[in-house]
Structure formats: structure tokens, C-alpha cells
Amino acid sequence: MKNTIGRKKVYSILNCALPIATLLAVVAIYAIISKAVGIEMLVPSVSNVVKDFFSLFAQSEFYKAVGGTLGRAIAAYLLSFVFAIIFACLTKACKPLKKAFSPIVALVRVMPTMSIILLAVIWFNSYQSVVLVAFCVIFPMLYTGFCDALDSVDKDLIEMAELYGVDRKNKILQLYLPQILPGAFTAVKSSVGLNLKLVIAAEVLAQTAQSVGIFMQQSKINLDTANLLAWTVVAIILGSVFEWLVAFAEKKAVKWK
């Protein structure tokens, strides 16, 4: 028993220590490269990147930019999520509809992201184009994931539930959701970080005001690499927060199951 507890403690410590050690190793390698290159404009020092990162918090524009990007990312993801659920349920209920809808999903899935961004920038305003770009990439991913999750439900269990007259509420809570949730969360986890990256990329090309993307573009134009890397760290933190929230929701859902 003591050995088991000891092993759990060791694993817990390693789970915390290893990611930190890896991050420190990456920073150390970057610092070595920066020192070897010796040109701040190309590879700025870690201290300058850190200084620029913390200086962002003193600027009111920083909060407007982060708020704007988060708003667009959340809007795009919620739109993709809701439509993916609706169409997954509709195509599950009607097989011909799934056949008819599949070429459209396949077309959107294989269409180059850069083409979507450029066309969206031409056809819509900067806010609409950013949301549309993320939607066009994220919706097919979520739709396919939700369809697979629905298809994973055991048909024998459904027939058994119908045979024993299980009511609809218990069917949904006790039968469908426990089997659907793992696949659904897999789709969400694989797309939530990508959604933010797409939004920021679209903001750069669409020149969206009050956005992380526009400040990255300005840093690039000014050849301010340290500032560009500082904004990149901000984007990484935002993406990590989104992924942590999904992981937290998944844990709660597993407990609920």
C-alpha cells in the first residue's frame, strides 16, 4: 500500500516537473541560439522578449486587442459547434441527407485555408471574414467528430432500452451521452486551439482593428521581433487556457457520467 502511494506521488511530481523542465530546456536552447546569432532584430534575447511581454500589460490597447480576438474566436467556435451538432443530428436521423451533405463538407475540408482567408477578406468586412474563416475550417472537423460519436452508440443497447420501455430522458442521460461524450470531446480538443490560430491568422490578413493579429502584423512591419514574440507568447497562453477549459469540462463530464 505504501509503495503504491509512493509511486503515485512520484508520478504526480513527474507530471508537474517534466513539462516545466521541457519548457526551460526550450528557453535555454533559444537563448543559446540568440547568443550565437547575436542580432537582436533576427533572434532577440530572452530578456528583451520578457521585457516586451510584460510591457504589453501596461497598454490599454493590449486588453482591447485580446478582448477582440477572444470575442471573435468564441463567436466562430460557438457558431461552428452549434451548426455541427444540428447537422450531425439531422444527418444521423436522415441518411439521404448525410449523403447529400457529405460533398459540401468534403469540399470545405480540402479547400486551402489561405484561399478561404483571401476570399473572405474580399467578400466581407474584417470581423465577418475572421469568423467565417474559422467557421469554414472548424465546422467540418466538429461535424465529422460529432457524426462519428453518434455512430459509436451501441445499437444493441438502444434496442434493449426500447424493449424494456426506457423513457426518452433516461435514454439520453444514461445511454446516449455516456457513449457520445468521449468522441465529442476528442473533436473539441483537436479543434479549440486551431480555432484561435485561424482567427489570429485571419486577423493579420484582414487587418482587423483591436486584435492580436494586427499587433503582430505591426511588429513584423517595424521589424520588432521581440514584440512579435511577446504577442506570440500571449497567443500561446490564450490557446492553452482554451485547451485547459476543455480538459476541465471533460473531467467534469466524466464524473457526471
Side-chain angles (χ1 to χ4, degrees):
M1 184 69 178
K2 287 183 179 179
N3 289 337
T4 304
I5 295 172
R7 280 197 296 268
K8 285 183 178 180
K9 286 183 178 179
V10 170
Y11 290 144
S12 179
I13 293 170
L14 286 175
N15 284 335
C16 294
L18 287 176
I20 295 171
T22 302
L23 181 61
L24 291 174
V26 170
V27 172
I29 291 169
Y30 175 85
I32 293 169
I33 294 171
S34 175
K35 191 76 173 177
V37 173
I39 304 174
E40 280 290 318
M41 191 178 72
L42 290 179
V43 190
S45 64
V46 174
S47 60
N48 280 341
V49 174
V50 171
K51 183 181 72 175
D52 276 26
F53 173 75
F54 284 106
S55 70
L56 293 176
F57 293 92
Q59 305 168 23
S60 60
E61 291 83 2
F62 168 78
Y63 299 98
K64 293 177 182 177
V66 170
T69 295
L70 285 177
R72 284 179 280 274
I74 292 170
Y77 200 83
L78 285 178
L79 198 64
S80 304
F81 188 88
V82 170
F83 273 89
I85 288 178
I86 291 171
F87 277 92
C89 292
L90 288 175
T91 54
K92 177 65 176 177
C94 180
K95 295 295 182 184
L97 182 61
K98 187 173 185 178
K99 290 287 185 182
F101 192 57
S102 59
I104 299 173
V105 176
L107 179 65
V108 176
R109 187 189 296 118
V110 300
M111 188 175 180
T113 305
M114 188 55 66
S115 295
I116 297 173
I117 294 175
L118 294 175
L119 288 171
V121 169
I122 293 170
W123 291 339
F124 303 98
N125 64 39
S126 59
Y127 179 88
Q128 294 168 341
S129 60
V130 169
V131 173
L132 178 64
V133 167
F135 175 82
C136 287
V137 177
I138 300 303
F139 167 74
M141 293 179 64
L142 289 176
Y143 168 76
T144 303
F146 293 161
C147 284
D148 291 342
L150 288 169
D151 290 338
S152 69
V153 177
D154 193 329
K155 294 179 181 178
D156 293 335
L157 288 177
I158 296 173
E159 291 176 0
M160 187 181 297
E162 290 175 353
L163 181 65
Y164 285 97
V166 178
D167 61 85
R168 183 177 295 180
K169 179 182 177 182
N170 281 321
K171 274 185 188 177
I172 293 172
L173 295 178
Q174 304 299 329
L175 178 59
Y176 283 98
L177 284 180
Q179 296 185 72
I180 292 171
L181 284 176
F185 270 111
T186 298
V188 171
K189 284 189 292 186
S190 64
S191 60
V192 69
L194 176 61
N195 177 68
L196 182 65
K197 288 192 286 186
L198 288 165
V199 165
I200 293 174
E203 287 173 346
V204 171
L205 289 178
Q207 299 288 292
T208 308
Q210 294 185 353
S211 69
V212 172
I214 192 66
F215 279 99
M216 285 184 168
Q217 176 72 349
Q218 289 174 2
S219 298
K220 177 254 183 185
I221 292 171
N222 296 330
L223 297 177
D224 190 350
T225 311
N227 193 256
L228 176 57
L229 286 173
W231 278 105
T232 302
V233 173
V234 171
I236 291 170
I237 292 171
L238 293 178
S240 299
V241 169
F242 276 124
E243 292 184 352
W244 179 86
L245 289 173
V246 172
F248 179 77
E250 185 177 21
K251 284 183 181 179
K252 291 293 183 181
V254 168
K255 287 181 180 178
W256 172 80
K257 277 196 307 178

